[in-house]
Amino acid sequence: MLMGTGVCRGVLWGVLGCLLAGASGPAPAAPDDRIVIVANRFYPASSLTRSETREIYLGLRTIEQFLRIRPIDQSDPAIRAAFLQTVLNLSRETYIDHWNRLLFQQGGLPPLLKDSPDEVVQELLKTDGAIGYLWGRDAEGRNGLKILLVIPVRPSTAPGERPPPALPPN
Amino acid sequence: MRNLCPFSRRTPVCGRWKRHGSIAGLLAVLLLLGSSPGHAFDLRGFGDVTFTKSDDAGSADRHGSFTLGQLDLYVTQPITDRLDVLAELTIESETSGDFVADLERLQIGYRAWDWLVIRAGRFHNLLGYWNLTFHHGRQIQTTINRPSMLAFEDRGGFLPVHLVGIWLSGYVPAGPLLINYGLMAGNGPKIAGLTSLSGGELDPNNLSDNSGNKAVAFNLTLHPRGLHNGGLGICGNISRIEGFDNTPAAAKVANISQQILCGEAHYVTETIELLAEYYALFDQDELTGLGRFTNHTWYLQAAYTFADRYVPYLRYERTSVAEGDPYMTMLGVIDTARTILGFRFNLASASSVKAEARLIDHPAPAGLAEHAHEFAVQWAFWF
C-alpha cells in the first residue's frame, strides 16, 4: 500500500514535471542596456512613444503622414527577445502567432526580417517609412538615421499577454 | 466530372460559387503559383478530421461518424505597399458526399490611412467577434465548432455571415482607447428552394442581387490602448430577404425586412479566453403582414490554458425563436440550448486535439429528441 502511494506520488511529480516543462527559459543576456528605435531621417515623426511603437509592430499603426510604415525585425535572438519582451510584452512565439493570425484575418504587410544590424541600417537608409530597433551601441555613429525612442532594457521580463487573435480586421 | 453549376445559370445552387470537378485543377494551379519564383506568395491552410457520436435517433451522427472538415486554403499578397489581396478557399464535402470548392473570402483592399481602409469583394460580415477572427480556421478557434448561431449559411446558419460588396474600416485612436469601426454594403441574401415555407437555405447572392435593397452592416469596437487583447463592441445588419419557392417559376413567397443588432465582449490572454456575443433579430414579412417578430441568440465561452498546452473550456449557447416568425420557419430554426464541455490539447502551435461533450436541448418536434447528447473528437491543424 505504501509502495503504491509512493508510485502514485512519483507519477504525480512526473506529471507536474511534464506540465512545467513547457515553461519558457530565461531570455538571452542583453549585450547592451538600451534599445533604440531608429528610422530613416525622412521619417515624418520626430519621436515615438512605447505604445505607438507597440502599435506599429502589432500592425495597428501602419501609416505616418501619408507614408507607409515598414517595421523591421531582427533575427538575432538576443535583441529580438529583448525588444519583444520590453516593448510588446510578448514572447517570440506569440508574436509570430499574432502575425500569422493577422495575415489570415486581413492580409497586409508583415515586418521585414533582417539578419544583422548592418542589414537593418541598409534597409532604413533606402526606405523612407522603415523603422527598426538596434542595440544602442549599434546605432552610434550612423549617418542618415533618426533616433525616435530610447528604451532601457530590463534584465528579465515575464512572458506577456497573448496578442490580438482578438483583433478585428482593419 | 459533373458540372451542376455553370456560371451562365443562376440557380439557387449556383449562387454559392460552387464548382464540382475542378478542385484538382484549382489546387494544382495554386500549388504551382505558390512554388513559382515569379509568383512567390505564401499558400497556407487549415484542415481537420472530426469524429462525432450522438444519441439522438434523428441525427446523422447516431452511428458515430468520421468527418473530413474543410480544407481551408488561403493566400495573402501585397500588390503595392497600400494594396493587397486576400483569398480564402475551402474544399468541403456536401451532405451528398461530393467535394466542392467554395470561395469563402476574396478581397482587394486599399489602405488610405489607418482610419480608412477600403475593400471590395466577398467578406465575412461585421457580426460580432468570432466571425471576423477565426473565419474557417478551426485550429485557431478553441472549440471544435463555431457557435451554432454563427454556422455558415450552407451549414444551416441563419445569420448572414458572408457579404459581397464593399467594406470601409479603420482604427481611430481616442485617448486611452483605440476605436475600430467597420461599414459594409452589399448584396442582401435571399432564401431559395422553399417547400411550403420551409427547407430553405440562406444564399448570400454572390453572383447578383435579386432586389435593389442593399444590405448594410456596421460594427464599432472599443479596445483599451495598450491592452489590445480585450474589446467591447456593437454591431448590426439591415437587409431585405426575399424567399422563393422551388417551382420552376421560383415564385416569391416571403419578403422579410430584417434588422440584426448585436453586441460582443472579448478578453483573450495567453491563458484566459472569455468571449460573449448577443444577437437580436427583428423580422417582419411584408407579404403576409403577420407583424414583427423578435428572436434572441447568444453564447458565452470561457477557456483556461495551463502549461501552454492544456485547455479546458466551457460554452453555453442559446437560441430563442419567436413562434410563427416566417424567416426562422423558412430556415428550420428552432429553440435550442447547448452546453459544451471540452478539453483541448495543443500538440504544437499548429496542431491540436480537442474532445467535447455536448448536451443539446430543443423542443421535441421535427423528429428530434428533446435532450440529446453528443461526443466529439477533432484533430485540427494549420500548415
Side-chain angles (χ1 to χ4, degrees):
Chain A
M1 189 69 179
L2 282 174
M3 184 183 284
T5 308
V7 169
C8 288
R9 193 174 294 157
V11 169
L12 181 62
W13 281 113
V15 170
L16 281 174
C18 288
L19 293 179
L20 294 172
S24 310
D32 200 348
D33 60 358
R34 64 198 170 107
I35 289 175
V36 293
I37 306 298
V38 285
N40 183 290
R41 67 191 169 108
F42 296 114
Y43 190 83
S46 56
S47 66
L48 282 177
T49 65
R50 200 178 284 212
S51 172
E52 288 167 341
T53 307
R54 176 183 161 93
E55 287 170 5
I56 287 171
Y57 275 87
L58 289 178
L60 294 166
R61 185 186 180 102
T62 63
I63 291 171
E64 189 80 58
Q65 295 178 25
F66 303 106
L67 192 63
R68 183 68 199 251
I69 305 171
R70 292 309 311 274
I72 303 170
D73 267 324
Q74 284 204 51
S75 56
D76 173 60
I79 189 168
R80 197 176 195 193
F83 171 76
L84 292 177
Q85 290 186 1
T86 308
V87 179
L88 276 67
N89 199 23
L90 298 176
S91 67
R92 175 184 165 276
E93 291 71 25
T94 311
Y95 175 67
I96 291 172
D97 188 51
H98 160 70
W99 271 103
N100 282 334
R101 289 171 186 246
L102 197 64
L103 292 173
F104 171 59
Q105 288 166 355
Q106 65 185 57
L109 281 172
L112 298 166
L113 185 63
K114 297 295 176 185
D115 288 332
S116 68
D118 288 339
E119 285 188 21
V120 172
V121 171
Q122 282 170 18
E123 186 65 38
L124 290 171
L125 290 174
K126 75 177 184 193
T127 308
D128 287 355
I131 178 171
Y133 51 85
L134 296 169
W135 292 122
R137 66 180 185 198
D138 289 331
E140 289 169 4
R142 306 272 192 179
N143 293 322
L145 298 185
K146 182 192 281 186
I147 293 180
L148 302 176
L149 179 65
V150 179
I151 304 161
V153 180
R154 286 179 286 178
S156 66
T157 308
E161 73 230 24
R162 190 171 165 182
L167 278 177
N170 175 28
Chain B
M1 297 242 288
R2 286 184 305 151
N3 185 356
L4 295 178
C5 189
F7 281 114
S8 57
R9 291 182 57 203
R10 291 172 179 171
T11 67
V13 174
C14 296
R16 296 167 50 213
W17 284 13
K18 291 194 168 178
R19 300 296 300 264
H20 290 247
S22 58
I23 296 168
L26 190 64
L27 269 176
V29 169
L30 283 171
L31 291 171
L32 281 172
L33 283 176
S35 61
S36 156
H39 301 82
F41 60 73
D42 200 12
L43 175 67
R44 302 197 61 186
F46 296 92
D48 66 271
V49 181
T50 306
F51 175 83
T52 309
K53 174 81 171 76
S54 172
D55 67 0
D56 186 342
S59 167
D61 297 316
R62 62 190 178 280
H63 303 301
S65 306
F66 285 97
T67 309
L68 284 179
Q70 295 177 326
L71 173 61
D72 180 28
L73 302 171
Y74 69 94
V75 292
T76 169
Q77 176 69 28
I79 296 174
T80 69
D81 65 354
R82 291 188 186 237
L83 266 178
D84 63 69
V85 170
L86 184 147
E88 185 180 16
L89 174 81
T90 62
I91 297 167
E92 58 188 334
S93 55
E94 294 276 79
T95 48
S96 64
D98 292 336
F99 284 91
V100 293
D102 204 344
L103 188 57
E104 301 294 350
R105 289 188 291 159
L106 177 64
Q107 60 194 51
I108 181 163
Y110 178 76
R111 187 172 294 266
W113 294 276
D114 284 327
W115 53 269
L116 181 62
V117 182
I118 304 158
R119 294 185 176 92
R122 188 179 201 252
F123 322 105
H124 282 142
N125 203 353
L126 297 170
L127 295 175
Y129 172 77
W130 194 291
N131 200 44
L132 289 168
T133 303
F134 302 116
H135 303 287
H136 294 258
R138 284 180 165 173
Q139 163 60 19
I140 58 173
Q141 65 189 38
T142 300
T143 54
I144 289 179
N145 291 324
R146 296 162 71 91
S148 56
M149 78 284 299
L150 289 165
F152 297 113
E153 294 95 338
D154 56 356
R155 300 282 159 172
F158 59 90
L159 291 174
V161 296
H162 291 97
L163 192 134
V164 180
I166 59 167
W167 175 16
L168 309 181
S169 67
Y171 280 107
V172 181
L177 295 176
L178 200 57
I179 300 171
N180 173 226
Y181 78 90
L183 185 64
M184 280 184 186
N187 295 345
K190 69 180 176 193
I191 301 172
L194 289 165
T195 310
S196 310
L197 280 182
S198 65
E201 180 180 302
L202 209 53
D203 179 341
N205 268 329
N206 293 313
L207 293 177
S208 64
D209 201 346
N210 57 289
S211 78
N213 298 296
K214 298 299 163 209
V216 176
F218 71 92
N219 72 350
L220 187 73
T221 309
L222 306 180
H223 303 275
R225 218 166 169 189
L227 183 69
H228 305 303
N229 47 9
L232 196 63
I234 56 167
C235 49
N237 185 84
I238 300 166
S239 58
R240 180 171 298 278
I241 304 153
E242 296 177 339
F244 300 93
D245 68 17
N246 63 352
T247 61
K252 190 198 292 189
V253 294
N255 185 9
I256 310 283
S257 168
Q258 182 181 74
Q259 296 89 42
I260 299 172
L261 287 177
C262 41
E264 63 94 359
H266 65 269
Y267 179 68
V268 183
T269 71
E270 279 192 333
T271 53
I272 295 170
E273 179 185 66
L274 297 172
L275 310 178
E277 294 186 41
Y278 166 79
Y279 297 84
L281 287 81
F282 306 98
D283 299 325
Q284 184 162 8
D285 186 357
E286 296 181 354
L287 273 189
T288 58
L290 288 173
R292 189 174 163 95
F293 298 87
T294 304
N295 309 277
H296 305 275
T297 184
W298 54 274
Y299 78 87
L300 293 170
Q301 179 172 311
Y304 181 76
T305 303
F306 62 95
D308 283 338
R309 57 181 59 193
Y310 307 103
V311 191
Y313 59 85
L314 180 67
R315 183 165 79 208
Y316 180 77
E317 50 185 74
R318 188 174 186 92
T319 298
S320 304
V321 176
E323 194 175 341
D325 183 340
Y327 176 78
M328 293 301 211
T329 306
M330 285 189 287
L331 296 174
V333 185
I334 56 174
D335 283 355
T336 307
R338 278 170 206 264
T339 308
I340 298 170
L341 180 63
F343 190 86
R344 171 182 171 129
F345 174 64
N346 292 324
L347 294 162
S349 63
S351 181
S352 62
V353 175
K354 313 168 193 176
E356 279 182 7
R358 305 172 188 146
L359 170 63
I360 303 164
D361 294 306
H362 42 53
L368 298 167
E370 200 165 341
H371 304 289
H373 302 85
E374 284 182 0
F375 175 72
V377 181
Q378 180 180 78
W379 192 349
F381 49 94
W382 188 4
F383 56 93

